[in-house]
Amino acid sequence: MVLVLMGCGVAVSLGCDPINNIPAVVGTSLAFGLAVVAMAYTIGGISGCHINPAITLGVFLSGKMNAKDCAMYIIFQCIGAFIGSTLLWLLTSNVSGLDGTGANDLQEGVSMAGGLLAEIIYTCVFVLVVLGATSKTNGATNNFAGLAIGLALVLVHLVCIRYTGTSVNPARSLAPAVFQGGTALANLWIFIVGPFVGGALAAMLWKIVEPTED
């Protein structure tokens, strides 16, 4: 809920446009990253603060979560995203000059294949950071996992917004697309399939490079 409300909220408020409004791209990138940092240090000790089905899938495939918990996490991540989108819709619908819900869509000149590839690649990188930063084998650096993950999300947004608006999170894309409709809803499959494939690839890569515990 917080990720969608804050991240998508900033995108809408600043008028994020990767071609004509670069400052808004930077602001939106920071908003998503800061939302993750804030929530990581708020609920990380309770749930691990996945707030992203792609991360949850990666954790599950890495053997660190059972199937029941994986399914419940994803269900409630989507519920949270819909709550955030509902709040944002209520706000923007009562403010003149604001339009949209921060939904993901293919950007100008980007093909379906290009958008799907971008989501797979950048989700893989992001989830790999999550798995590595939260690993017990990281020792003291594990204490800074929330910061590392948030900064990684900023980096991913700075690169990927130009192609897809940056999803790397199926729940974050699902709720805004339902509210916005149109091509955002028609292309929604890209922002579900891409992040899930990227998360699965990250889990496979992490299993290869993960250090053994002493």
Side-chain angles (χ1 to χ4, degrees), residues 5 59 69 95 97 114 118 120 136 143 168 178 192 198:
L5 181 61
V59 172
D69 286 346
V95 178
I120 291 172
K136 293 180 180 179
N143 297 326
V168 303
V178 169
I192 294 177

Side-chain angles (χ1 to χ4, degrees), residues 38-50 73:
M39 296 315 296
Y41 289 107
T42 302
I43 63 171
I46 299 172
S47 67
C49 188
H50 294 187
Y73 267 50

Side-chain angles (χ1 to χ4, degrees), residues 3 36 61-62 71 73 80 100 108 116 138 150 153 161 175-176 190 198 201:
L3 182 72
V36 166
L61 294 177
S62 297
Y73 267 50
E108 183 179 337
L116 181 62
N138 255 353
L153 190 59
I161 281 180
I190 294 172
L201 287 174

Side-chain angles (χ1 to χ4, degrees), residues 47-197:
S47 67
C49 188
H50 294 187
I51 59 176
N52 182 338
I55 291 175
T56 298
L57 178 64
V59 172
F60 168 67
L61 294 177
S62 297
K64 297 177 174 63
M65 171 180 264
N66 62 50
K68 179 183 176 181
D69 286 346
C70 176
M72 293 301 289
Y73 267 50
I74 291 174
I75 289 171
F76 280 91
Q77 287 157 1
C78 291
I79 291 173
F82 272 100
I83 293 172
S85 281
T86 301
L87 293 173
L88 183 58
W89 177 81
L90 289 171
L91 175 63
T92 57
S93 63
N94 287 285
V95 178
S96 176
L98 292 184
D99 184 35
T101 61
N104 291 112
D105 206 348
L106 297 175
Q107 301 300 299
E108 183 179 337
V110 179
S111 65
M112 285 188 178
L116 181 62
L117 188 61
E119 286 296 324
I120 291 172
I121 291 171
Y122 291 112
T123 304
C124 179
V125 171
F126 178 54
V127 175
L128 190 61
V129 171
V130 173
L131 295 175
T134 58
S135 173
K136 293 180 180 179
T137 58
N138 255 353
T141 58
N142 185 271
N143 297 326
F144 300 98
L147 183 59
I149 294 166
L151 290 175
L153 190 59
V154 172
L155 180 61
V156 165
H157 272 77
L158 287 171
V159 179
C160 196
I161 281 180
R162 174 61 183 86
Y163 307 110
T164 65
T166 310
S167 172
V168 303
N169 182 336
R172 170 261 181 272
S173 294
L174 174 62
V178 169
F179 276 89
Q180 190 156 318
T183 58
L185 191 57
N187 291 326
L188 177 61
W189 68 272
I190 294 172
F191 308 108
I192 294 177
V193 174
F196 275 135
V197 172

